[in-house]
Amino acid sequence: MIDERYGEIVRVLSMVAAVSGDEKLINECVMWAEELMKIPVEFGTDYNQGSKIESLGFIYDYLFESLNETLRQAIRESVITQIECGSIVKPWLNHPV
């Protein structure tokens, strides 16, 4: 079960995995990504889903070179789907800051 601290855990874990290149840590981040993508888009509020999007972003950005194309695509699609499903961040989808 993923608790409310997962955003911070994933941020630190993915950063350490990226810096160290440790395959065990990279695999742990892949597990987190796979579990986060299972969270339904209607779960909770934008606060809950924001943490999901942020965590997937850390994994995607920090570990991009270590992820296979299938996982990269799945993360991209998960984030876009989440945003398109009524998130308050939807207006920024095509207008990054």
Side-chain angles (χ1 to χ4, degrees):
M1 180 69 172
I2 296 176
D3 72 21
E4 66 274 358
R5 297 169 295 165
Y6 71 82
E8 184 66 13
I9 293 167
V10 172
R11 181 183 67 80
V12 173
L13 182 64
S14 59
M15 186 182 303
V16 172
V19 171
S20 71
D22 185 317
E23 283 298 319
K24 184 176 179 182
L25 295 177
I26 292 168
N27 291 338
E28 187 72 14
C29 290
V30 167
M31 183 278 306
W32 273 95
E34 290 169 346
E35 289 301 311
L36 288 166
M37 288 186 291
K38 292 177 187 175
I39 298 173
V41 294
E42 64 277 352
F43 173 78
T45 64
D46 277 337
Y47 176 80
N48 303 106
Q49 295 295 348
S51 294
K52 172 185 167 182
I53 292 169
E54 179 182 49
S55 295
L56 288 171
F58 288 134
I59 294 167
Y60 185 87
D61 289 345
Y62 291 158
L63 298 173
F64 184 85
E65 296 297 326
S66 299
L67 304 176
N68 64 46
E69 183 55 36
T70 302
L71 184 56
R72 289 181 199 157
Q73 182 66 28
I75 291 172
R76 282 192 301 268
E77 289 174 6
S78 179
V79 169
I80 290 170
T81 299
Q82 186 62 54
I83 292 171
E84 288 178 339
C85 285
S87 172
I88 62 171
V89 297
K90 186 175 181 177
W92 287 279
L93 184 59
N94 295 315
H95 304 287
V97 285

